[in-house]
Amino acid sequence: MAAAAGSAQTITEIALPVSGSNPADIVAGPDEAVWFTEQHGDRIGRINRCGELAEFPVPTPKSFVRGITVGPDRNLWFTELVGKIGLMTRDGTATEFPIAGLTEPVEITAGPDGNLWFTEYYNRIGRMTVGGTVSFFSIPTSASSSRFITAGSDGNLWFTENDASRLGRISTAGQITEFPLPASSGPFGITVGPDGDLWFTESGANRIGRFTTSGQIAEFPIPTPASNPSAITTGPDGNLWFTEYDRNQVARITPGGVIAEFPVPTPGSGPYGITTGPDGNVWFTEFNADRIGRVNLQPRQRPCPRTIGFRPLP
């Protein structure tokens, strides 16, 4: 499909107070706010729809917090590359669950079975109950480098295998099926689209892919070369939104495959994680610039009450 030039789209950036925090993943919380990990800041951040920021420390120093999701218990669950899964309540209280053995959990999502599901670098998919019990399931292809994971419209979990150029599907019972993609496509981010299909970024091929649960694939080239597309989410406007880490852009793709790109104001910011916020806007992290960005799709609809423990932003 032909690509469309981006129309004017206002982006607001919110600077974090500590440099070198490197915000990574971001998710819409259950409390009219977005929550994000600070990979080198050892913190979980929260920004409400009025732009008030709070940051909560993770107990383990240099834990390299990465993925984050809302769990079935309506708390925030996150991964720590040092081999732990963390839980954070909405008041900022953190609990960590160490995982036995050699493991580096990367991304995490809530499953349809009431458990947490996560990817890890050591070629497995993990399942964790809200009580902290972990089970592992080996990916058939070795050195696959699984990355993002999402709950599919078919009741299974779907994940990307970046180094193996495959998509993986795992049932809630732990049965894994792999689907080869074009060579060197490097699938990375993945989400369920408004059409019920799996939409994913191809960091190695500079494309956006669409994959049906029955196994049919379509691919759409990104207009800007070597953009390194990273995370992807379904937007509030019925389109898909994704980040372009190397080209400092966020982009929109329609279900029909038409792409529009929007530059991030701060040069070299490294847009990475992305989500639809409770306010109807698209929020993303700027890994290199220590900022949180917001694509303003909706005007502010109602006043936001002041919350104790949060500081107002300029």
Side-chain angles (χ1 to χ4, degrees), residues 144-303:
S144 62
S145 186
S146 58
R147 296 303 175 110
F148 278 84
I149 185 168
T150 191
S153 60
D154 58 351
N156 297 304
L157 288 302
W158 290 77
F159 57 94
T160 54
E161 299 179 36
N162 186 251
D163 288 352
S165 290
R166 296 170 182 261
L167 292 185
R169 182 186 68 204
I170 182 168
S171 70
T172 54
Q175 182 177 0
I176 294 178
T177 305
E178 295 177 290
F179 300 89
L181 300 174
S184 302
S185 61
F188 198 80
I190 190 169
T191 193
V192 176
D195 51 6
D197 294 338
L198 287 309
W199 288 76
F200 58 97
T201 59
E202 298 183 47
S203 60
N206 210 55
R207 295 186 295 249
I208 300 299
R210 184 185 69 210
F211 197 85
T212 69
T213 55
S214 59
Q216 297 174 314
I217 187 173
E219 296 176 295
F220 308 96
I222 297 171
T224 302
S227 67
N228 190 9
S230 299
I232 187 169
T233 192
T234 295
D237 55 356
N239 299 307
L240 288 302
W241 287 79
F242 61 95
T243 52
E244 298 180 38
Y245 183 87
D246 285 351
R247 293 298 186 176
N248 208 54
Q249 300 181 132
V250 293
R252 179 188 68 217
I253 180 170
T254 69
V258 178
I259 295 175
E261 299 171 294
F262 308 100
V264 177
T266 299
S269 69
Y272 183 74
I274 193 166
T275 192
T276 291
D279 58 354
N281 295 309
V282 173
W283 293 73
F284 60 96
T285 60
E286 300 179 38
F287 188 85
N288 296 331
D290 299 317
R291 296 170 183 260
I292 303 298
R294 182 182 66 212
V295 183
N296 300 306
L297 301 181
Q298 302 289 337
R300 187 178 296 175
Q301 296 177 344
R302 63 186 187 279

Side-chain angles (χ1 to χ4, degrees), residues 107-132:
E107 304 293 345
I108 190 168
T109 194
D113 56 349
N115 294 313
L116 288 308
W117 291 78
F118 60 93
T119 58
E120 59 136 23
Y121 282 132
Y122 293 99
N123 220 58
R124 296 178 299 186
I125 301 298
R127 182 183 66 202
M128 184 175 187
T129 69
V130 294

